[in-house]
Amino acid sequence: NAGVTQTPKFQVLKTGQSMTLQCAQDMNHEYMSWYRQDPGMGLRLIHYSVGAGITDQGEVPNGYNVSRSTTEDFPLRLLSAAPSQTSVYFCASSYSGTGYTFGSGTRLTVV
Amino acid sequence: AQTVTQSQPEMSVQEAETVTLSCTYDTSENNYYLFWYKQPPSRQMILVIRQEAYKQQNATENRFSVNFQKAAKSFSLKISDSQLGDTAMYFCAFDAYSGAGSYQLTFGKGTKLSVIP
């Protein structure tokens, strides 16, 4: 099925560990982005990309890295996990304002 | 920077009745999009309805319709004939051209809607 695929769905990390959240879309969308959702905060933008090779920071980028080597993939890297990064992470893709398609989310717990 | 405000943290409605969720936003942009997203307990973010700022006609999708007041920067969602499956968090979101060829969603904090049998 066409859409946005996120892996893993759940993850527990120890403080200081690193990991990569994977995101792939098969709709040939230009725009991809990562959001985090915390209770009472809505979704906040971490990083986004307007095409392969182009990325930029969103509202809450600290502690995260991204790269976009292909149109399809947009991984999010946690460099040194901290308890403050416990959250639900969503990847989304869009074709120029038509509405964003979201992945099913990754629930990350940092202990 | 854009802001989106949803002033109703929680609402409830009887099954088959109508409910309206409020959303206001602040922006200096003239060209933008507005969305309502639904998030059921499954956590999936589902697009409910989309409005383009340059269109005066209010968007409608089956039982869902919006009241878009551009001058007042208001974008409310009306759900008619509420169903149990409408129970979810609803997020209002704003998407503006940021000048670098990118669109970025700004979300409100959400309204938790409960449909009561």
Side-chain angles (χ1 to χ4, degrees), chain A residues 35-44 83-90 106-109, chain B residues 9-10 39 43 89 91 108-112:
Chain A
Y35 295 83
R36 61 177 288 173
Q37 183 179 21
D38 301 298
M41 296 294 292
L43 279 76
R44 293 180 292 168
S84 61
Q85 293 178 304
T86 293
S87 188
V88 179
Y89 291 85
F90 287 96
T106 296
R107 182 176 292 279
L108 175 68
T109 302
Chain B
E10 294 192 37
Q39 187 179 43
R43 196 173 72 195
M89 283 289 290
F91 292 97
K109 294 184 178 182
T111 296
K112 184 177 181 181

Side-chain angles (χ1 to χ4, degrees), chain B:
Chain B
Q2 284 73 230
T3 59
V4 177
T5 302
Q6 293 179 248
S7 58
Q8 306 149 315
E10 294 192 37
M11 296 189 71
S12 61
V13 61
Q14 291 289 136
E15 194 175 5
E17 296 295 310
T18 295
V19 64
T20 298
L21 280 58
S22 301
C23 173
T24 58
Y25 58 95
D26 188 23
T27 184
S28 58
E29 302 282 347
N30 190 50
N31 183 27
Y32 51 88
Y33 299 90
L34 294 162
F35 304 93
W36 280 97
Y37 279 91
K38 169 185 178 181
Q39 187 179 43
S42 67
R43 196 173 72 195
Q44 183 69 44
M45 294 289 288
I46 301 166
L47 177 63
V48 175
I49 201 163
R50 167 181 176 265
Q51 176 79 43
E52 298 166 20
Y54 64 87
K55 289 187 177 179
Q56 293 185 337
Q57 186 173 4
N58 289 325
T60 299
E61 288 287 343
N62 301 315
R63 298 182 295 108
F64 299 88
S65 62
V66 298
N67 183 4
F68 173 48
Q69 302 290 329
K70 190 173 183 179
K73 297 180 182 177
S74 172
F75 184 60
S76 61
L77 175 70
K78 185 173 79 171
I79 305 174
S80 304
D81 186 24
S82 296
Q83 301 176 358
L84 296 178
D86 295 334
T87 293
M89 283 289 290
Y90 286 82
F91 292 97
C92 179
F94 175 97
D95 188 8
Y97 184 78
S98 67
S102 67
Y103 284 75
Q104 304 170 50
L105 278 174
T106 300
F107 284 87
K109 294 184 178 182
T111 296
K112 184 177 181 181
L113 177 67
S114 299
V115 180
I116 302 167

